[in-house]
Each structure stands twice: as structure tokens, then as C-alpha cells.
Amino acid sequence: MIKQAIIPLAGLGTRLLPLTSVFPKELLPINGKPGIEYILDECIDAGVKEIIFIISKKKEMIRKYFNNDNFYKSIIKKKKDPRIIKEYKKILFYKKKIKYVYQNKPLGTGDAVLKTKKLIKNNYFLMLLPDDLIMKKNCSKDMVKIHKKYKASVMASMKVKKNNVDRWGIYSINKNYDKSNFKISDVIEKPNAEDAPSNNAVIGRYILPKKIFNYLKNQKKGKGNEIHITDAIRRMILDKNLFIGHKFKGNYLDCGSMNGYINSGIEISKI
Ligand code: G1P
């Protein structure tokens, strides 16, 4: 069973400036609800019991958002507004499930994952990248099913435009298991168009094995001088560990760029 999820939240959010100069991007509202709550709802609905937030000192506001009991209590005491009571109950529900670790230097997603090493209990865990919203169909839930069937690691996949491959991790496909799932033979972080083996991109949902920590411990820096999870996964694949790519059915929304963020609100308001 996948009982734990990790969410890297230490990113600076520079692509969303000026909105993120004081405010964490994951708390920005998307159709009236902070982006992070969509991510929490997805993984809780997929059966996750504990969520590890990887934050930084600069992103303490996220911790405060989920631990603001006194504020809610004082408001509710003065005014028994059912809406506020409901919101507070929701925050408490999340709060009970969240643990925090710190990544104070932005050294990359691989480094963020490594920070959770001591807290991961089972052989596999889920990772969700908060910039990637997937609506209408729970991608994590479907990936958990694939993981159970194949007893393997799973990553979400989507076709992207060929001239845009250098924005993503890109897969080489070994064979297709069925219409939605394939065996990954390689994965490259943000390749140039001429080096890209396909236009099947990694989207921010991963079921990773605990074993990945052994690879991350000595993972060298890659593109942009960061430690990439993709590079550690690549070494695991070359060591014959099975990683499955899952073409998800839901609607993908990119919340990490300004146009994407604006569009996400519009799209979610239509659902
Ligand atoms: C990260 C990963 C990349 C993946 C992407 C999905 O990139 O490194 O492989 O395709 O998430 O959103 P980032 O968005 O942090 O640049």
C-alpha cells in the first residue's frame, strides 16, 4: 500500500513573480482554493495517510496556514459562522496528516526527496509536484492501482509539443503493457529537441521506491547545477529496476507559469 506522500514545496516560484515575492505559490488561490489543497485532496483520495511537506524557512507561511488554530478558534468563538467552522474542520483534517522537513537551499527535486529519507516507512511512496494539477480523474489513484499490479515504480506521462521537450523529463519507451501503461527504458531531464528520444514527458506524479535514497545520496548535479530526481531514476532504470510510465486520463493544468496559473483558474471554474 502507498501510505505516505511527499510534496516538494521549497521552490522559489520565480516564474510567478510578482505574486510570489512574499506569498508561497502553493497558497495562491485557484478558483477560490489554494493550489496545495487540490494536491492534498488528490493524494488523500488515493489512500495516502501521511503527507510530508518539504518546505524552507522562506515558506514558513505554508506551515502557518495549516497550524492557525488560535486564529480560527477566536473567530468561531465570536461568530459561529458555519462556513468558517467547515473551513476550519477541513484545515484540521489536513493538519493531522502533514509532517514537515526543511530544504533551505534550492538544490533541486532530488535533494528535496533526500530530505524525507528518515520519515519514509514503507518500500514505496508517492511524490506529487504542486505545479502540476490533474483534474477530473485522480491520477495518483490510478497510479497506485498500476503499482499494485506490477509491484513497480510508476510515473505520470503526457505527450508534449516536440519544440517544448526541453521543459520536461522525457521518456524512452521499451514496450507498451496496454494503451495507458508502458515500460520505461530511459528518461532524460530536459533534453534539447535533437536529443529527445520522444515527446512523452514526465508529469509531476511519481511512485518511488525507498531504494532511491541510496542513489540520491551520491547523485551528482545535472542540468542547471541541480540534483534531479530524474537523474537518480535514470540510474535505477539502467540498474534494471522497473519503472512504468502511466498516460493519465485527467486534464493537466500547469500552475507553475503565469499563463498556466491564470488559465488553471478559468479551467477549474468550468468543472
Ligand atoms: C520537474 C522534473 C521534470 C518533470 C517536471 C514535471 O521539472 O524535473 O522532469 O517533467 O517537473 O512538471 P520542474 O518543473 O521542476 O522544472
Side-chain angles (χ1 to χ4, degrees):
M1 269 306 278
I2 304 291
K3 296 263 183 233
Q4 290 176 297
I6 69 169
I7 308 180
L9 295 162
L12 299 173
T14 45
R15 288 187 294 161
L16 285 181
L17 281 170
L19 303 182
T20 46
S21 80
V22 288
F23 212 66
K25 66 176 170 186
E26 298 81 5
L27 292 182
L28 292 174
I30 301 173
N31 196 41
K33 168 166 148 176
I36 187 66
E37 291 191 13
Y38 292 96
I39 300 283
L40 285 170
D41 292 346
E42 178 182 326
C43 65
I44 293 168
D45 184 45
V48 162
K49 307 286 178 219
E50 182 179 278
I51 300 131
I52 302 166
F53 277 9
I54 306 140
I55 60 168
S56 66
K57 280 185 200 140
K58 287 189 188 129
K59 310 274 294 265
E60 283 288 352
M61 212 189 267
I62 295 176
R63 194 171 188 153
K64 188 161 182 206
Y65 178 81
F66 291 100
N67 289 278
N68 220 356
D69 298 46
N70 290 342
F71 173 74
Y72 277 98
K73 279 182 199 154
S74 69
I75 301 267
I76 293 167
K77 214 172 172 183
K78 278 185 223 142
K79 191 156 100 140
K80 298 210 167 3
D81 183 335
R83 193 190 74 83
I84 299 176
I85 295 172
K86 195 170 154 216
E87 288 296 331
Y88 179 45
K89 283 191 179 151
K90 191 176 73 177
I91 294 288
L92 280 183
F93 171 75
Y94 292 140
K95 180 189 165 180
K96 284 190 197 126
K97 298 188 184 328
I98 304 172
K99 286 198 172 156
Y100 297 84
V101 295
Y102 283 77
Q103 183 199 24
N104 287 323
K105 289 184 199 145
L107 295 177
T109 311
D111 177 65
V113 175
L114 191 55
K115 301 286 189 229
T116 68
K117 183 173 180 260
K118 285 193 184 137
L119 295 180
I120 296 297
K121 295 176 195 135
N122 298 335
N123 285 335
Y124 287 89
F125 59 97
L126 176 68
M127 172 164 77
L128 303 96
L129 301 185
D131 282 356
D132 294 344
L133 288 193
I134 302 174
M135 304 306 292
K136 286 194 177 166
K137 186 91 172 65
N138 190 322
C139 177
S140 296
K141 206 176 200 171
D142 289 341
M143 284 171 57
V144 169
K145 283 187 204 148
I146 302 299
H147 162 72
K148 274 192 198 153
K149 183 170 174 190
Y150 293 96
K151 310 268 175 294
S153 305
V154 188
M155 299 198 278
S157 168
M158 177 182 86
K159 279 209 184 307
V160 294
K161 289 195 182 115
K162 293 209 168 74
N163 61 4
N164 207 10
V165 284
D166 61 355
R167 151 80 184 86
W168 312 92
I170 297 291
Y171 296 115
S172 301
I173 298 178
N174 180 303
K175 63 172 178 184
N176 288 307
Y177 291 114
D178 53 50
K179 267 197 293 184
S180 311
N181 300 291
F182 55 87
K183 181 175 174 184
I184 300 165
S185 57
D186 201 354
V187 63
I188 308 172
E189 181 66 9
K190 303 190 170 83
N192 300 325
E194 32 316 345
D195 302 329
S198 76
N199 62 335
N200 292 289
V202 180
I203 300 301
R205 301 290 182 275
Y206 307 69
I207 292 179
L208 295 171
K210 205 179 185 176
K211 225 168 127 181
I212 198 143
F213 294 120
N214 299 336
Y215 288 79
L216 286 170
K217 267 191 297 198
N218 54 22
Q219 182 59 52
K220 294 198 175 76
K221 287 181 179 169
K223 286 257 154 70
N225 218 20
E226 287 186 6
I227 298 168
H228 292 287
I229 193 67
T230 316
D231 293 341
I233 292 169
R234 176 162 207 244
R235 284 165 59 220
M236 289 201 76
I237 293 169
L238 299 179
D239 281 350
K240 306 266 176 286
N241 293 284
L242 178 57
F243 276 74
I244 294 172
H246 171 68
K247 296 176 190 164
F248 57 89
K249 294 189 184 68
N251 290 10
Y252 170 72
L253 298 170
D254 168 20
C255 299
S257 66
M258 189 57 93
N259 284 338
Y261 169 68
I262 294 166
N263 184 49
S264 301
I266 297 167
E267 288 303 317
I268 292 181
S269 73
K270 291 183 201 158
I271 295 174

